[in-house]
Amino acid sequence: QGTRDHPPAQAALRDRLLSAVVSCFKRHGAAAIDTPVLELRETLVGKYGEGSKLIYELQDQGGELLALRYDL
C-alpha cells in the first residue's frame, strides 16, 4: 500500500516531459498555481458539502481526518 517510488531514469523522463508542458503553457500565457493534494477533511467538506462524492477521505496515523482533492 502507499505510493510508489520512481527510479532515476523514470524521474528524469517525467521531469523533462513536465518541463516541456510547463514551457508550452507559459508561452501561451498560463500562470502556475500550487495547491495541496491533501487537505483537512473539514476544509473540503466546507467547500463541497457533507454529502459530496467529490472527495476521497482517509485518516493519517495520528487519527486526523484528511481528504484528497477530487480535481487533483
Side-chain angles (χ1 to χ4, degrees):
Q1 298 293 337
T3 60
R4 67 176 185 255
D5 293 332
H6 298 283
Q10 284 183 350
L13 175 61
R14 180 182 180 273
D15 288 345
R16 284 196 309 273
L17 290 171
L18 186 58
S19 177
V21 170
V22 168
S23 67
C24 179
F25 278 33
K26 285 183 178 180
R27 277 195 309 274
H28 293 280
I33 62 169
D34 190 14
T35 59
V37 174
L38 287 173
E39 297 253 11
L40 291 174
R41 181 188 177 279
E42 64 190 44
T43 302
L44 288 182
V45 167
K47 290 180 184 178
Y48 303 123
E50 184 67 41
S52 177
K53 295 183 181 194
L54 299 175
I55 59 175
Y56 181 79
E57 297 178 7
L58 50 116
Q59 192 171 17
D60 71 6
Q61 293 177 350
E64 190 165 41
L65 293 175
L66 303 171
L68 294 172
R69 292 173 52 117
Y70 79 95
D71 54 349
L72 298 175

